[in-house]
Amino acid sequence: GAGVSQSPRYKVAKRGQDVALRCDPISGHVSLFWYQQALGQGPEFLTYFQNEAQLDKSGLPSDRFFAERPEGSVSTLKIQRTQQEDSAVYLCASSFSGGSTGELFFGEGSRLTVL
Amino acid sequence: AQSVSQHNHHVILSEAASLELGCNYSYGGTVNLFWYVQYPGQHLQLLLKYFSGDPLVKGIKGFEAEFIKSKFSFNLRKPSVQWSDTAEYFCAVNPRDSNYQLIWGAGTKLIIKP
C-alpha cells in the first residue's frame, strides 16, 4: 500500500505478557518515529530512527520498551512484561527526511489494552 | 519544560459557523508550527505548517492559521465549517534547535452539527 501500515490494529494483553507492534513505513522514507498516545492526550514521542540507526530513544518510558529497525524499513516496538499503564495507542510515523522539515505520515495506530 | 496548550478540548458548532481553535506554546526560541487533523476512523494527517515568511498560512480544505510570535500562538481558523470538518485537531511545535522533535497539544475534538 501507499501509506504507513501498522499491525496489529488492536491488541489485548494480560499484564505481564510481552507484545510486539509492527510498523511498515512508506517505501524510501528515511525517518521513522514511534509515539504513544494516551486517551485524551496528544502523541508523546518514544523513539526516532534514521534508516536503521536509532538516534533517540529518550522517550521510551522504561527498559521494558525496545524498538528496532534492523534493515532501515520495517520497525518493531516491543514491550516486555506489559503493565496496565502501557495501555495506549501506539503510533508510527515516517518521513522522507528529518521530521522537522518534512511532513509526517502516520499509520492508523495499534491500540494496546493491558488487562 | 516545553509544552503546547490547546484551549478547548471539545468544540461543537453548526454548519456555516466560523471556527477558531487556539494553540499556544511555551518555547522562547525559533519554532516550526503544524496543525494535524484526524478524521473519524482515519490516521493523523497534515493540515498546514509554518516555517517562515508570511505568518498567515493557508492549508487544505479552506483552513488557515496565523502565527503571532509575540503571543506564542498559532490559532487555526476557517470562515465557514462543514459537517465533514468533524474531526480531532492537533497543534504541534518543533523547536528549531531539534531537527525532529515535535511537541504536541492534547487535541481539540470538533463536532459539526448538520
Side-chain angles (χ1 to χ4, degrees):
Chain A
V4 177
S5 178
Q6 290 188 246
S7 61
R9 289 289 313 280
Y10 302 92
K11 175 70 178 177
V12 178
K14 291 182 179 178
R15 193 173 60 173
Q17 281 185 330
D18 297 348
V19 300
L21 308 177
R22 175 189 169 105
C23 173
D24 203 336
I26 294 172
S27 178
H29 277 198
V30 168
S31 295
L32 186 144
F33 300 81
W34 283 99
Y35 289 90
Q36 181 189 59
Q37 186 176 19
L39 193 63
Q41 300 296 319
E44 294 275 349
F45 171 81
L46 293 177
T47 187
Y48 165 56
F49 290 86
Q50 194 167 90
N51 297 307
E52 69 279 3
Q54 188 175 23
L55 297 187
D56 188 341
K57 56 181 181 179
S58 63
L60 296 176
S62 76
D63 59 7
R64 296 185 295 103
F65 286 71
F66 172 77
E68 61 182 3
R69 194 187 184 196
E71 296 177 359
S73 55
V74 171
S75 176
T76 304
L77 176 67
K78 297 179 180 177
I79 309 173
Q80 296 177 324
R81 305 181 304 281
T82 52
Q83 303 294 314
Q84 284 188 323
E85 61 262 28
D86 299 335
S87 295
V89 176
Y90 291 85
L91 296 171
C92 176
S94 69
S95 172
F96 182 73
S97 61
S100 66
T101 55
E103 176 180 352
L104 287 184
F105 292 84
F106 283 85
E108 293 184 339
S110 292
R111 182 179 295 276
L112 173 65
T113 303
V114 181
L115 303 177
Chain B
Q2 299 157 1
S3 66
V4 176
S5 174
Q6 292 185 239
H7 312 299
N8 305 100
H9 291 292
H10 293 88
V11 173
I12 301 174
L13 295 172
S14 297
E15 276 195 312
S18 65
L19 170 71
E20 181 160 2
L21 301 183
C23 173
N24 286 87
Y25 63 92
S26 64
Y27 179 73
T30 306
V31 294
N32 297 321
L33 299 158
F34 304 82
W35 277 96
Y36 278 81
V37 60
Q38 186 168 24
Y39 297 102
Q42 296 188 26
H43 55 271
L44 277 163
Q45 55 188 285
L46 183 67
L47 194 57
L48 49 77
K49 61 188 178 185
Y50 171 81
F51 291 158
S52 64
D54 188 343
L56 185 62
V57 179
K58 295 195 185 296
I60 60 172
K61 302 186 180 185
F63 285 90
E64 64 180 32
E66 184 175 12
F67 171 46
I68 303 180
K69 188 175 180 180
S70 61
K71 294 185 177 180
F72 300 92
S73 71
F74 189 55
N75 291 355
L76 182 70
R77 300 195 293 245
K78 186 171 183 178
S80 176
V81 294
Q82 301 172 309
W83 177 78
S84 58
D85 294 325
T86 293
E88 189 160 17
Y89 293 81
F90 292 90
C91 180
V93 175
N94 161 238
R96 285 204 205 152
D97 60 3
S98 167
N99 70 349
Y100 58 85
Q101 280 282 7
L102 272 180
I103 303 160
W104 295 78
T108 297
K109 287 187 178 173
L110 174 65
I111 296 172
I112 306 300
K113 298 184 294 184

